[in-house]
Amino acid sequence: MTENRQIIIDSLPTDRLEPGNYALRTVEAPAPGDGEVLCRTLAITIGAGQRAGLQGSASYAGAPRAGIVMSGTAVARVEASNDDTVPVDSLVVCPAGWQEYSVHAAAKVRVVDEGAGGDPAHHLGVYGTNGLTAYFGLFDVGEPKDGQTVLVSAAAGSVGHLVGQMARIVGCRVVGVAGGEAKCRLLTEELGFDAAVDYKSPSFRNDFKEATPDRIDIYFDNTGGEVLGSALRRMKVGGRIVCCGVVSQYDTSKPAPGPFGVPGLLINFRVRMEGFLVFDYAKRYPEAWTRMREWVDAGKLVPKQDVFEGLERAPEAFVDLLAGGNVGTRIVRVAS
């Protein structure tokens, strides 16, 4: 019998998520049926949006419930196949969840280029949901133009660090908001941001104003909360706010109300504030992959990731991410 280790949701969090909300169990690995493939997980990605699913505030995730394998996207190797379109040994991206082995209909996995970026885990980051979210959120919702100022919150995070670099590529001035001096230095010294502001600093309000002397054309919002409130007061007339996520409100039983000044500030400054889901752009994913691959190969776009080793560390990696511990895409490596 081939063993399959799984991380299950042992209990739903009532306030902040804890590793104890999860449990490790071992079951027999599944066998593929007709038209199915057996996948062995190499790595999974963890994102703040998964906490929204546990909170019940993400409509696309369904109702949260305990006793099931924690959901998540994986890059995996096909171990057995009953479909000619996905041969054995193919590298695929699939909705494996937090487990070592999973079975999927061949049509539900995506065979990926083994050579793209070198590390298979890049298919979970820059070429995965994170990169696609950054691309379509910035270009389709934000509509950046050369010379405009783009503000990005959670700017050292999985989506934010890519948004900022993409905005720089098309000629924008980019300001990042991140937590801590080390992350701010990473943004300006390694990733090309024009300025970075530490939201944990006691001088945040003044630093924020100094970093946006010409105000803000586009705000790419990953956090909500106080940073969104600050951005609203610095928007230019006709500015755009891209609502991608509200990580500051996920890991709590008492989310804060919306920022003061809505809708008044939106009306006064004629600001467009728009949310989006990346899945709505599925038919255009190849466009984004092609463009991002060109940028990565040219060294213009530098994907960052941080890694936890071992499936059993996934709960720890998730809790740490929600506390702001990640730089770039959070990856848990499960197998070589």
Side-chain angles (χ1 to χ4, degrees):
M1 179 185 88
T2 300
E3 293 185 342
N4 181 27
R5 295 190 307 153
Q6 303 174 323
I7 302 290
I8 65 166
I9 304 168
D10 195 44
S11 61
L12 294 174
T14 56
D15 192 32
R16 290 191 179 277
L17 185 73
E18 300 177 356
N21 291 121
Y22 294 96
L24 177 66
R25 73 180 180 191
T26 301
V27 298
E28 184 176 357
D34 291 342
E36 293 182 331
V37 294
L38 172 66
C39 298
R40 183 185 184 192
T41 301
L42 302 181
I44 57 176
T45 183
I46 295 176
Q50 290 170 275
R51 182 63 179 89
L54 289 175
Q55 192 184 55
S57 59
S59 59
Y60 54 85
R65 60 192 179 100
I68 60 172
V69 175
M70 178 65 184
S71 63
T73 303
V75 62
R77 187 72 66 186
V78 175
E79 298 269 307
S81 175
N82 291 325
D83 189 293
D84 293 340
T85 63
V86 185
V88 170
D89 206 37
S90 297
L91 188 69
V92 299
V93 172
C94 60
W98 293 7
Q99 59 182 334
E100 292 178 316
Y101 291 92
S102 58
V103 162
H104 308 275
K108 298 296 184 181
V109 305
R110 177 169 61 88
V111 179
V112 296
D113 179 3
E114 196 94 31
D119 186 346
H122 282 317
H123 293 290
L124 302 176
V126 64
Y127 303 127
T129 301
N130 296 332
L132 295 167
T133 298
Y135 183 91
F136 290 109
L138 177 63
F139 293 114
D140 276 61
V141 184
E143 300 177 345
K145 296 177 177 60
D146 184 37
Q148 293 186 329
T149 295
V150 176
L151 176 74
V152 186
S153 59
S158 58
V159 173
H161 85 289
L162 298 171
V163 172
Q165 292 182 80
M166 291 180 192
R168 283 285 294 155
I169 289 170
V170 297
C172 294
R173 180 177 185 270
V174 181
V175 179
V177 177
E181 293 181 4
K183 287 185 177 181
C184 289
R185 284 196 302 271
L186 169 80
L187 296 177
T188 57
E189 295 176 8
E190 292 188 38
L191 300 183
F193 282 59
D194 296 282
V197 184
D198 179 4
Y199 72 83
K200 296 181 179 180
S201 170
S203 59
F204 169 71
R205 290 181 182 274
N206 286 333
D207 296 342
F208 188 82
K209 288 181 180 179
E210 289 180 3
T212 56
D214 298 322
R215 305 184 75 84
I216 302 162
D217 294 284
I218 301 165
Y219 171 43
F220 197 105
D221 184 27
N222 292 305
T223 59
E226 293 183 8
V227 179
L228 171 58
S230 298
L232 278 166
R233 288 160 179 77
R234 298 293 296 168
M235 297 300 297
K236 281 186 181 178
V237 172
R240 285 87 70 201
I241 298 176
V242 182
C243 298
C244 179
V246 285
V247 67
S248 70
Q249 307 302 311
Y250 290 153
D251 198 25
T252 176
S253 60
K254 298 177 181 179
F260 179 77
V262 174
L265 290 170
L266 301 180
I267 296 168
N268 289 342
F269 290 98
R270 281 80 84 195
V271 171
R272 171 165 57 85
M273 187 174 186
E274 182 178 348
F276 74 103
L277 290 177
V278 70
F279 315 116
D280 295 337
Y281 297 92
K283 292 182 179 179
R284 291 177 53 201
Y285 285 177
E287 165 200 326
W289 287 326
T290 297
R291 207 169 176 198
M292 289 189 291
R293 179 71 183 272
E294 291 173 353
W295 291 335
V296 171
D297 288 348
K300 296 180 179 179
L301 181 61
V302 180
K304 290 285 187 180
Q305 61 188 34
D306 57 16
V307 179
F308 278 60
E309 297 288 349
L311 178 67
E312 66 282 355
R313 297 193 68 193
E316 174 193 354
F318 195 10
V319 171
D320 178 74
L321 175 140
L322 293 170
N326 68 304
V327 172
T329 299
R330 173 58 53 86
I331 298 293
V332 176
R333 293 201 191 277
V334 179
S336 299

